[in-house]
Amino acid sequence: MNAAFMRAIPVLKVLKQEGHEAYFVGGSVRDSLLKREIGDVDIATSATPEQIINMFPKTVDIGKEHGTIIVVTEEESYEVTTFRSESTYSDNRRPDSVTFIKSLKEDLRRRDFTINAMAMTETGSIIDYFQGKEHLKQKKIHTVGNADERFSEDALRMLRAARFSSQLKFTISLKTVEAMKANAKRLAAISVERKTVEFEKLLKGVNIVYALNILYETNLLSYLPRVSGKVMQLTQIGEKLEQTSLNERSELWTAVVKSCGIENIELFLQEWKLPKKVIHSVMKNVRIWNILNNSSWDTFKVYEAGITTALEVEKIRSVIEGTQPQYEIVKSLYEQLPIRSKQDLAINGTDLIHMYGKKPGKWVSDILNKLEEKVLEGTIINTPSTIKEWVLQCKMKQEKNY
């Protein structure tokens, strides 16, 4: 049994010693059967939230009304959720109410896809009521029970189906695809933030083109911000990302906006509800990429970009354009820079004001910009004496012209 489960077994044992059922459930069970890296280990139990809280010394209530408590151990923390059934989903996302039950089968019945609806005991035995293992063998994504019901409960599940197909290199069953077509409009009710998470995971998968084509075929692409007419461009990106992934959000979205020819980048990314930091990084990446165009890196371009942006742009360009990344050239140019920013100049604006005996104004930044350029091109050495001599010569020329 995987070490991640071994560390969680004491939690199961505490629950069982108190007379309750307890099992590992969800994605960790699926991934263990697929021999994939396991993420979070989740636990389902017949114990009520109050009973869970009373059984463990340290817990965090993150949704007691829905049955979920985090149990904190010395090594890890685990989501422990009470077996439950759910009522209608008025908002296409959350159940209007939940009922705590004692049946594992009924609890698993409410889950999204059969491959996610299996449970595992502390001895490693798999409990599979809905053909999850068979669908894993077939590499098939299929909803648990009626697909229309599952998608009416949480419309994001349609996007999750495409995401799983990309991550696992699975196909989606015909019945599930047909239900996605029939229920696509429900995705409009889902928050952009949740859709963004799924879309990013899809673009980090290994079966991206198939997943994107599913989004197009089912019309789900129409309910994602400003990409409904970009299926061809997205598919071209997908083909390249299947070969070499981009893991950082700023890398991924730079590839998207650049390849899709997005003009108002800031507005586009804001509609995807991305953090300001990511938006600023993407905008800088695109600006530097445009400066480069088809040319090579040089001192001024590396200085303008900074090492982080320069390496990131080089990575994205190599993926999208299919070129060999020039990381060593970029690093070498950066190491040779006489200054890394304007703050590294041997004099500053205050020094200039004293030397000129003038009031602050635009003239200060003009001189600093010119000085920055001279230092970078190697015309002036960045030492206080050399720079002051150059500044005094500039001052004398100005006075002579007057």
Side-chain angles (χ1 to χ4, degrees):
M1 184 181 289
N2 187 284
F5 293 118
M6 296 296 291
R7 290 192 294 271
I9 283 177
V11 177
L12 261 65
K13 286 186 174 179
V14 169
L15 290 161
K16 296 188 76 173
Q17 284 167 1
E18 293 296 323
H20 305 287
E21 293 182 52
Y23 306 91
F24 298 122
V25 293
S28 61
V29 177
R30 175 201 68 224
D31 289 340
S32 69
L33 293 172
L34 291 173
K35 308 299 182 187
R36 298 177 81 237
E37 183 180 348
I38 292 173
D40 295 332
V41 172
D42 295 332
I43 295 168
T45 179
S46 58
T48 66
E50 289 293 346
Q51 289 171 328
I52 296 168
I53 290 170
N54 291 333
M55 269 184 268
F56 296 94
K58 189 172 183 181
T59 61
V60 180
D61 177 2
I62 62 165
K64 186 165 66 173
E65 69 278 10
H66 292 107
T68 303
I69 302 294
I70 289 182
V71 172
V72 182
T73 68
E74 290 184 1
E75 294 183 284
E76 305 280 351
S77 60
Y78 303 97
E79 279 194 15
V80 181
T81 303
T82 305
F83 297 161
R84 70 190 193 193
S85 63
E86 298 169 343
S87 64
T88 55
Y89 287 66
S90 301
D91 63 358
N92 293 298
R93 178 185 175 184
R94 295 188 184 90
D96 298 324
S97 63
V98 301
T99 302
F100 300 138
I101 57 177
K102 297 297 181 181
S103 168
L104 171 66
K105 183 176 182 179
E106 292 307 308
D107 178 76
L108 295 175
R109 191 187 299 278
R110 68 179 173 80
R111 296 175 186 268
D112 52 7
F113 307 110
T114 58
I115 60 173
N116 297 332
M118 293 177 283
M120 186 169 73
T121 68
E122 73 273 21
T123 62
S125 297
I126 301 297
I127 301 171
D128 179 17
Y129 296 112
F130 306 105
Q131 295 182 281
K133 287 177 72 175
E134 181 61 28
H135 291 152
L136 282 181
K137 289 179 183 178
Q138 296 173 0
K139 296 188 175 182
K140 187 80 68 177
I141 294 169
H142 198 291
T143 56
V144 178
N146 185 289
D148 290 317
E149 289 181 9
R150 297 294 80 76
F151 295 147
S152 68
E153 291 165 354
D154 185 352
L156 190 71
R157 287 171 170 169
M158 294 181 286
L159 204 53
R160 280 168 59 83
R163 184 256 285 188
F164 282 127
S165 74
S166 177
Q167 287 182 319
L168 303 176
K169 207 167 186 178
F170 282 18
T171 57
I172 304 175
S173 72
L174 181 60
K175 284 186 177 181
T176 302
V177 169
E178 290 303 314
M180 290 165 70
K181 289 179 183 177
N183 291 276
K185 62 183 179 182
R186 293 182 183 274
L187 196 61
I190 300 300
S191 72
V192 174
E193 290 88 346
R194 294 182 77 209
K195 290 188 276 196
T196 298
V197 170
E198 297 299 325
F199 191 65
E200 287 180 346
K201 289 180 179 178
L202 184 155
L203 292 178
K204 292 178 182 179
V206 293
N207 197 26
I208 303 169
V209 173
Y210 170 83
L212 289 169
N213 284 331
I214 286 290
L215 294 184
Y216 175 73
E217 179 187 340
T218 57
N219 201 38
L220 289 170
L221 206 62
S222 298
Y223 298 95
L224 300 179
R226 292 178 176 260
V227 292
S228 61
K230 303 288 185 181
V231 64
M232 186 178 297
Q233 295 94 323
L234 288 173
T235 299
Q236 290 171 348
I237 300 170
E239 290 173 350
K240 292 163 183 174
L241 292 179
E242 285 180 356
Q243 305 303 315
T244 308
S245 63
L246 297 173
N247 295 316
E248 297 297 327
R249 299 182 81 185
S250 54
E251 296 172 354
L252 199 62
W253 287 102
T254 300
V256 170
V257 300
K258 186 68 178 174
S259 300
C260 288
I262 303 300
E263 294 183 3
N264 193 332
I265 295 171
E266 186 171 16
L267 178 61
F268 175 81
L269 298 177
Q270 284 173 346
E271 291 200 17
W272 280 93
K273 303 293 184 183
L274 295 177
K276 287 182 180 179
K277 185 177 179 180
V278 174
I279 294 175
H280 291 157
S281 293
V282 172
M283 292 177 70
K284 185 177 181 182
N285 284 346
V286 173
R287 179 170 63 82
I288 297 301
W289 194 337
N290 290 339
I291 290 172
L292 277 166
N293 199 6
N294 293 319
S295 62
S296 301
W297 289 99
D298 58 33
T299 299
F300 291 97
K301 290 167 188 168
V302 172
Y303 176 80
E304 175 74 13
I307 189 62
T308 301
T309 299
L311 291 174
E312 191 163 289
V313 168
E314 188 58 22
K315 180 180 179 181
I316 304 162
R317 278 212 313 168
S318 69
V319 171
I320 299 303
E321 297 177 358
T323 57
Q324 191 68 26
Q326 304 296 311
Y327 298 138
E328 294 308 315
I329 291 175
V330 170
K331 289 176 183 177
S332 177
L333 285 167
Y334 186 75
E335 289 300 321
Q336 294 172 38
L337 288 176
I339 57 174
R340 303 287 170 80
S341 71
K342 197 172 288 184
Q343 284 68 42
D344 291 339
L345 289 171
I347 67 171
N348 57 34
T350 303
D351 296 326
L352 287 176
I353 291 168
H354 288 317
M355 292 173 71
Y356 272 76
K358 293 170 60 176
K359 291 182 179 180
K362 183 177 179 295
W363 66 271
V364 176
S365 62
D366 288 343
I367 292 177
L368 287 175
N369 289 339
K370 188 66 177 176
L371 181 57
E372 181 183 34
E373 181 182 332
K374 292 289 185 181
V375 170
L376 285 170
E377 68 185 18
T379 307
I380 300 174
I381 299 173
N382 187 38
T383 63
S385 58
T386 306
I387 289 178
K388 284 179 181 178
E389 182 181 347
W390 178 81
V391 171
L392 288 173
Q393 288 176 354
C394 291
K395 183 174 181 288
M396 289 172 63
K397 287 179 181 177
Q398 286 181 357
E399 288 172 349
K400 188 178 290 187
N401 290 334
Y402 284 111

